[in-house]
Amino acid sequence: MAPRGTLLRWGALGFAGAALVACDVAQAPLTVKTPRPRPNVLAETQLRPTSEESAALRSYLVQVQAAQLSQGLLREDGGGPDTPFTADMLARNFERIVFFNEYEKALQGRGGESPLRRWSGPVRVGIVFGNSVPPSQRSADGTAIRNYARRLGQITGHPIMSFGPPNFIVIVASEDDRGAALDAAAARVPGITPESLNALRSLSRDTYCAVAAYAAGSDANTYTAAVAVIRAENPGLLRLSCIHEEMAQALGLANDSNARPSIFNDDDEFALLTKHDEKLLKMLYDPRLSPGMSAAEAAPIARTIARELQGGPS
């Protein structure tokens, strides 16, 4: 099954581990700069004609969605009687998804173990649309992103909002205008440069979306910024599934596994955040856990929280 999306993680010295989360490879420090005010859309009143490349990609992704739906994939029910999970299963899935990286470095190799990473400060979500995205899609996607940000805040108990100076940019752009949208995102968020987003400029056809999370301060385990890229060519449900997966991954659920029911699984059985995934997010932002913890340090605490969330012993 082709990867729907992926998370890249950068620290102050470069890649800090990725699901496009990568490992600890030292690179030049990020340049911190004061962003200039920019609109959250690019050339909103002048839509660019679609290129043949973008049109072909859109056709391909429509076929992907249709094929997945015909196989009973991209479920929207959040899990049901056919997908039971115990407290022990939840704790094991938490370990696999939080403490391991999907990629060793930018979209290459398999990643190893990493410490717990999450946000400590407020997450302020902004949106950048490519100038080929029509108004109707901008309206629908903007509403979906803002509503989902609100939901993630309610689940985690962490301040996640869609107002104020953004430190988490969600880009919805086509193959034709992704580069300009990435430049616009870099201009709006301190600690992000256009060069640091290069891994998001050229995506394989089977990568429908991706996100880069940054730790620009002295603590490489505390996120301070993120940029997600959602292909505008994705049809409706695939696009929404990308929004759900990438925004949740950037909060610290870095890896994919065989967890079920979960969007953090390359089988694409579930399109949208599940009840299981909501519990993973509650665990991740539980104050009994903290950034920098290893899997071994967190394991007994995670088991306790999992049993609490499941209503008792496993």
Side-chain angles (χ1 to χ4, degrees), residues 128-145:
V128 170
F129 291 107
N131 61 8
S132 64
V133 180
S136 59
Q137 184 174 329
R138 296 182 189 200
S139 176
D141 290 353
T143 297
I145 291 166

Side-chain angles (χ1 to χ4, degrees), residues 2-6 103 107 203-210 231 234:
R4 172 172 51 205
T6 182
Y103 291 99
L107 295 174
L203 302 177
S204 70
R205 186 175 74 159
D206 290 331
T207 299
Y208 314 146
C209 42
R231 286 192 185 275
N234 283 308

Side-chain angles (χ1 to χ4, degrees), residues 40-55:
N40 69 346
V41 294
L42 301 176
E44 184 171 4
T45 59
Q46 297 181 0
L47 299 181
R48 178 186 298 173
T50 300
S51 69
E52 290 184 7
E53 183 180 10
S54 179

Side-chain angles (χ1 to χ4, degrees), residues 13-241:
L13 295 178
F15 290 115
L20 238 9
V21 185
C23 70
D24 296 323
V25 178
Q27 295 187 356
L30 295 177
T31 300
V32 179
K33 59 181 180 180
T34 303
R36 293 171 292 177
R38 293 290 184 90
N40 69 346
V41 294
L42 301 176
E44 184 171 4
T45 59
Q46 297 181 0
L47 299 181
R48 178 186 298 173
T50 300
S51 69
E52 290 184 7
E53 183 180 10
S54 179
L57 180 61
R58 185 180 300 275
S59 176
Y60 165 74
L61 291 171
V62 167
Q63 294 176 52
V64 168
Q65 178 176 285
Q68 290 182 333
L69 289 172
S70 71
Q71 298 171 51
L73 302 177
L74 296 179
R75 290 172 55 174
E76 301 179 63
D77 57 9
D82 64 318
T83 57
F85 58 93
T86 65
D88 283 347
M89 292 168 63
L90 184 65
R92 285 197 300 271
N93 292 339
F94 180 79
E95 179 175 338
R96 292 168 183 160
I97 292 171
V98 171
F99 293 97
F100 289 87
N101 297 323
E102 186 175 1
Y103 291 99
E104 186 66 19
K105 55 183 179 179
L107 295 174
Q108 299 177 23
R110 299 302 299 182
E113 186 174 343
S114 69
L116 185 148
R117 294 185 171 105
R118 70 186 187 195
W119 296 70
S120 293
V123 180
R124 299 180 298 275
V125 178
I127 308 170
V128 170
F129 291 107
N131 61 8
S132 64
V133 180
S136 59
Q137 184 174 329
R138 296 182 189 200
S139 176
D141 290 353
T143 297
I145 291 166
R146 289 187 291 271
N147 288 345
Y148 188 51
R150 187 179 308 113
R151 178 184 171 192
L152 290 173
Q154 292 169 346
I155 293 168
T156 60
H158 189 78
I160 301 174
M161 59 205 75
S162 52
F163 56 86
N167 53 13
F168 186 166
I169 299 289
V170 180
I171 292 172
V172 181
S174 74
E175 195 69 12
D176 300 332
D177 48 42
R178 185 168 63 249
L182 286 165
D183 291 342
R188 297 181 64 189
V189 181
I192 296 179
T193 65
E195 293 75 20
S196 70
L197 294 171
N198 282 344
L200 298 175
R201 294 180 187 275
S202 179
L203 302 177
S204 70
R205 186 175 74 159
D206 290 331
T207 299
Y208 314 146
C209 42
V211 64
Y214 294 79
S218 59
D219 182 359
N221 300 312
T222 299
Y223 291 142
T224 56
V227 175
V229 171
I230 314 297
R231 286 192 185 275
E233 292 93 348
N234 283 308
L237 184 55
L238 263 186
R239 206 163 64 249
L240 184 59
S241 75

